[in-house]
């Protein structure tokens, strides 16, 4: 039996947004590994073992996937959205780097998915139509000072921005601070969109000016998109022109 590891993105939620190549990998897998809600999105079938793990054990999860593949299993490590965007693909390579050299010969593939900011941007219109930056607002894996620094510089440089992991129960204050910095760096009239649970039954998308934005508008199921100074409304859509003023 020849084992392999596929790191796959399941997209933002809706089943039709899972790519055919990810569906094919899931149907050939013997084992699924990932964070509980993502593993639950994969349908049960005979011959498939599912390992649901907690959020903060990425490295253990990746090591487990590689160990199983080395023994002949066909393992899919699942992420939401795209696996390379603040997700499991990097963790897999970190585990590979730390593991036995024999693992380097394993068949490892990363299959892309539709990341939250692109699904959200498509619902909103085209807010990321010019240059933009994607920033993870969680300070679990980097210092908050660095996040503030990047926010300020990206805003001053005129990038539109997409924010992942904007606000959680354990980090209630940081997003309020992020909004303050954005108002200073981008101007209070800049448009900001809150896209929650995009492509699911709970989807909710709202756009306001930065001066009207409040921290409660975001939670951990929200991706936040801030426009640049040219970003504007046309009817019920928001778009950023492809040329800079
Ligand atoms: N790999 C994922 C991101 C993982 S980080 C991707 O590419 O989309 C988790 C964060 O992604 C959440 O806190 C939220 O900011 C965002 N997110 C994931 N799914 C989302 C969805 N359906 N709607 C809005 N935001 C989502």
């Amino acid at each position: 039996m020849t084992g392999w590891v596929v790191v796959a993105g399941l997209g933002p939620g809706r089943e039709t947004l899972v790519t055919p190549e990810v569906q094919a990998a899931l149907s050939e897998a013997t084992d699924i590994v990932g964070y509980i809600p993502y593993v639950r999105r994969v349908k049960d079938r005979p011959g498939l073992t599912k390992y649901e793990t907690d959020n903060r054990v990425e490295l253990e999860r990746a090591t487990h996937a590689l160990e199983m593949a080395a023994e002949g299993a066909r393992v899919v490590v699942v992420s939401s959205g795209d696996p390379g965007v603040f997700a499991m693909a990097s963790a897999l390579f970190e585990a590979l780097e730390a593991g036995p050299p024999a693992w380097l010969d394993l068949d490892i593939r990363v299959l892309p998915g539709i990341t939250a900011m692109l699904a959200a941007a498509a619902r909103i219109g085209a807010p990321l139509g010019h240059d933009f930056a994607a920033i993870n607002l969680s300070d679990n894996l980097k210092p908050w000072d660095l996040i503030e620094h990047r926010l300020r510089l990206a805003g001053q440089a005129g990038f539109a921005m997409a924010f992942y992991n904007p606000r959680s129960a354990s980090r209630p204050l940081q997003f309020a601070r992020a909004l303050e910095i954005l108002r200073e760096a981008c101007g209070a009239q800049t448009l900001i969109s809150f896209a929650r649970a995009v492509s699911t039954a709970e989807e909710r998308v709202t756009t306001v000016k930065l001066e009207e934005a409040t921290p409660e508008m975001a939670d951990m199921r929200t991706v936040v998109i801030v426009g640049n100074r040219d970003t504007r409304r046309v009817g019920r859509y928001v778009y950023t022109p492809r040329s800079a003023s």
Side-chain angles (χ1 to χ4, degrees), residues 32 35 40 148 152 196 220 237:
I32 306 288
Y35 177 41
R40 289 198 180 149
E148 285 202 6
R152 192 171 289 112
R196 182 171 195 277
M220 282 302 274
Y237 307 101

Side-chain angles (χ1 to χ4, degrees), residues 155-169:
Q156 286 168 357
F159 285 108
M161 283 170 260
F163 301 126
Y164 288 75
N165 298 309
R167 184 167 168 267
S168 74

Side-chain angles (χ1 to χ4, degrees), residues 168-224:
S168 74
S170 59
R171 297 182 281 110
L173 301 174
Q174 281 95 331
F175 187 60
R177 178 72 191 126
L179 287 176
E180 274 174 31
I181 293 168
L182 290 167
R183 280 185 205 108
E184 284 168 27
C186 310
Q189 301 299 307
T190 304
L191 293 178
I192 179 170
S193 300
F194 296 86
R196 182 171 195 277
V198 173
S199 88
T200 77
E202 292 90 53
E203 176 176 295
R204 207 178 59 223
V205 181
T206 328
T207 299
V208 297
K209 292 178 183 165
L210 268 176
E211 66 185 0
E212 299 157 341
T214 60
E216 305 75 46
M217 291 175 169
D219 66 7
M220 282 302 274
R221 293 191 72 191
T222 307
V223 64
V224 179

Side-chain angles (χ1 to χ4, degrees), residues 13-204:
R14 193 191 304 147
E15 203 163 333
T16 52
L17 296 181
V18 180
T19 68
E21 68 172 4
V22 169
Q23 281 165 359
L26 292 172
S27 68
E28 290 165 17
T30 54
D31 300 86
I32 306 288
V33 174
Y35 177 41
I36 305 157
Y38 308 152
V39 173
R40 289 198 180 149
R41 282 171 56 186
V42 179
K43 284 200 189 74
D44 289 313
R45 62 173 162 78
L48 182 69
T49 309
K50 293 174 21 177
Y51 299 90
E52 300 178 351
T53 47
D54 194 22
N55 206 0
R56 296 202 184 181
V57 294
E58 280 100 348
L59 216 54
E60 289 94 317
R61 191 191 285 155
T63 304
H64 182 213
L66 290 161
E67 283 166 357
M68 288 195 290
E71 284 163 17
R74 300 187 296 274
V75 187
V76 179
V77 181
V78 288
S79 285
S80 73
D82 180 89
V85 180
F86 311 129
M88 281 305 293
S90 293
L92 198 279
F93 291 115
E94 230 178 285
L96 183 66
E97 202 172 32
W103 283 1
L104 296 171
D105 295 326
L106 285 171
D107 175 5
I108 298 171
R109 278 162 291 146
V110 180
L111 304 184
I114 298 178
T115 187
M117 71 178 173
L118 298 185
R123 293 293 288 136
I124 293 162
L128 302 177
H130 192 70
D131 300 340
F132 65 90
I135 301 177
N136 184 349
L137 288 190
S138 166
D139 58 357
N140 287 341
L141 299 172
K142 60 185 167 187
W144 176 255
D145 282 353
L146 180 64
I147 299 176
E148 285 202 6
H149 182 62
R150 288 183 179 162
L151 273 179
R152 192 171 289 112
L153 292 185
Q156 286 168 357
F159 285 108
M161 283 170 260
F163 301 126
Y164 288 75
N165 298 309
R167 184 167 168 267
S168 74
S170 59
R171 297 182 281 110
L173 301 174
Q174 281 95 331
F175 187 60
R177 178 72 191 126
L179 287 176
E180 274 174 31
I181 293 168
L182 290 167
R183 280 185 205 108
E184 284 168 27
C186 310
Q189 301 299 307
T190 304
L191 293 178
I192 179 170
S193 300
F194 296 86
R196 182 171 195 277
V198 173
S199 88
T200 77
E202 292 90 53
E203 176 176 295
R204 207 178 59 223

